[in-house]
Amino acid sequence: MNIKVGKLIYSGKAKDVYETDHSDKVVVKFRDDITAGDGEKKDSLQLKGYYNSIISSKLFEVLEAEGIKTQFIELIKSGEMLSNKLEMIPLEVITRNVAAGSLLRKFPFEDKQVFEPPIIQMDYKNDAFHDPMLNDDISIALNLATKEELDSIREITLKINKTLKEFLANKGINLVDFKIEFGYDKNQNIVLGDEVSPDTCRYWDIETCDVLDKDLFRKGECGVMDAYKKVASMILDP
Ligand code: UDP
C-alpha cells in the first residue's frame, strides 16, 4: 500500500504513532527505548524496535487467522507497522497462565502456580495513578467501558490467550502472562491494538525454562536482545 507518513500524533514509552494520508490509518514506529518500573529504569537497546515489530506482526497475523480483529495491516519496513487507527481504551488487560511478577508481590500465590482457567486482570492505564487494578464497577463508573464491552473484551482476551498459548507452545515457548490493549475502530468494533512482544509478555523457554522477555531488563540481567532475537527466530521458524 502506498502511504505517506504525516505528523507524530502520539509518543509512548517505546512506540510512536504517526498519522498518514489515509485518515483511518496510522504508522506505528517501534523504538529501541526500553523502560521498567513506571518508566524509572530506562535504556536504549539496538534493534529492539525491529525485533518487537516483527514479533508483534507475526502474532497479529496468527490472531487474524483465527478471526480475531487486530489493528495490524502490514509491516511496511523494519520497525514500522501500518495499522488501522483506533480510539484506544485506557485498560491494560493482563492474562495470567502462570503466577509471576506483580501478582506474587500482591497476593499469596505460589511462584509458578498454574492457572487453569487463566486469570484475567484489568488495570487502569494511567501513569499518574500508577496503573491501579480495576473491577467492573470502577471501570464502568470511570466511563472506560460498558458492562457489555467489558464482557466482550474478556471473551476476546480468552480467545487470544488460547490462540497465542497454543501457537507459542508449538514453537517451544511457555506463555506465562501478557498485557494487551484494545481500541475502537471507525465502525466502533473492539479491536486488539498496541503490541504483543517480549516487552509486554512473559515468555519462558519450555525446554530450558530460560526467561526470554523484558524481565531480563527489569532484573538488570544481560542478554536482553539475545532473548528477543531468540523469540523472533523461534516464532518465525516455519
Ligand atoms: N505488563 C506490561 N505493561 C505494564 C504492566 C505489565 O506490558 O505496564 C505486562 C508484563 O510484561 C507482564 C504482564 O503484563 O507480561 C504482567 O505484568 P505484572 O502485573 O506481573 O507486572 P510487572 O511484574 O511486570 O511489574
Side-chain angles (χ1 to χ4, degrees), residues 13 37 92 94-96 100-103 105-106 121 123 131 177-179 181 198-202 213-215 218:
K13 294 195 186 92
E92 301 204 333
I94 295 169
T95 307
R96 300 178 183 277
S102 73
L103 196 74
R105 297 194 290 273
K106 291 179 184 160
Q121 167 193 336
D123 291 354
D131 302 343
D177 60 28
F178 61 100
K179 184 267 306 180
E181 296 179 26
D199 272 10
T200 57
C201 306
R202 286 195 167 91
D213 58 62
K214 196 163 96 171
D215 265 351
R218 291 189 186 98

Side-chain angles (χ1 to χ4, degrees), residues 30 47 49-50 53-54 75-80:
F30 288 73
L47 291 177
Y50 164 72
S53 73
I54 58 173
L75 202 56
I76 42 181
K77 61 168 123 137
S78 167
E80 296 189 16

Side-chain angles (χ1 to χ4, degrees), residues 148-165:
E148 292 68 34
E149 286 167 340
L150 292 170
D151 289 346
S152 162
I153 287 172
R154 197 165 283 119
E155 196 183 314
I156 302 167
T157 299
L158 284 171
K159 189 168 177 192
I160 291 172
N161 181 50
K162 186 172 184 297
T163 305
L164 291 181
K165 207 177 144 195

Side-chain angles (χ1 to χ4, degrees), residues 142-206:
L142 282 170
N143 284 319
L144 301 180
T146 63
K147 177 78 178 91
E148 292 68 34
E149 286 167 340
L150 292 170
D151 289 346
S152 162
I153 287 172
R154 197 165 283 119
E155 196 183 314
I156 302 167
T157 299
L158 284 171
K159 189 168 177 192
I160 291 172
N161 181 50
K162 186 172 184 297
T163 305
L164 291 181
K165 207 177 144 195
E166 282 172 13
F167 172 79
L168 291 166
N170 278 325
K171 303 288 183 182
I173 296 171
N174 184 5
L175 179 61
V176 171
D177 60 28
F178 61 100
K179 184 267 306 180
I180 47 179
E181 296 179 26
F182 293 91
Y184 303 103
D185 69 5
K186 62 180 177 187
N187 303 315
Q188 292 304 303
N189 292 312
I190 292 178
V191 172
L192 177 65
D194 195 45
E195 67 185 293
V196 187
S197 75
D199 272 10
T200 57
C201 306
R202 286 195 167 91
Y203 297 136
W204 294 347
D205 188 307
I206 287 177

